[in-house]
Every structure is written in structure tokens, then in C-alpha cells.
Amino acid sequence: MVITFALLKETAQHGTEITNGFGNVQNCFTPLVVYVIDLLEQQLLTSVSKNASPVTTATISQFGDPFPHLPHSGHHTL
């Protein structure tokens, strides 16, 4: 996701020039507030199989466990 959102991160930090309805150019900072995707897109973006959670280290046999599993990090995807 770092690569996917690199341009959005740069825009949020440094801004980008946009033209408003009156033709004036303004520097605009647009942070990404919410990104909603379905499970299939989550799995594609995080490079996990369809039998694993895209946000935790749980696999399909561990879904529904009474305790939380560790979150995914960059170490798990590399």
C-alpha cells in the first residue's frame, strides 16, 4: 500500500496546485481520510492468500478464535 498511496501522501504533505471555479490557482492539501475496500481488494493489496486475513496473521482455520491474532506488518509480506 506504500506504493499505491505514495502520490496521496506526497500531496497531503506538500500540497498540489488546483484551479477553483473562478480560475484562481490554489495550493491544496488533501489528506486521505477513509479508504473502503472489500475483502478481495484487501487481499490483493496486501498480497495474502484467500485463506488468510489481510489485517492479521490468522489463517482460515483460526478465524473465530476467542483471542486476537497479531497484526500484519511489512515483515510478513516481504
Side-chain angles (χ1 to χ4, degrees), residues 17-68:
E17 291 184 348
I18 62 169
T19 306
N20 65 15
F22 298 108
N24 300 324
V25 177
Q26 297 176 328
N27 199 18
C28 182
F29 296 86
T30 55
L32 179 67
V33 178
V34 175
Y35 183 65
V36 179
I37 56 176
D38 62 11
L39 181 61
L40 178 60
E41 286 177 307
Q42 287 178 353
Q43 290 170 332
L44 290 172
L45 282 175
T46 56
S47 302
V48 297
S49 72
K50 66 179 182 178
N51 295 330
S53 168
V55 293
T56 68
T57 55
T59 60
I60 197 165
S61 63
Q62 298 166 325
F63 290 175
D65 283 353
F67 58 90

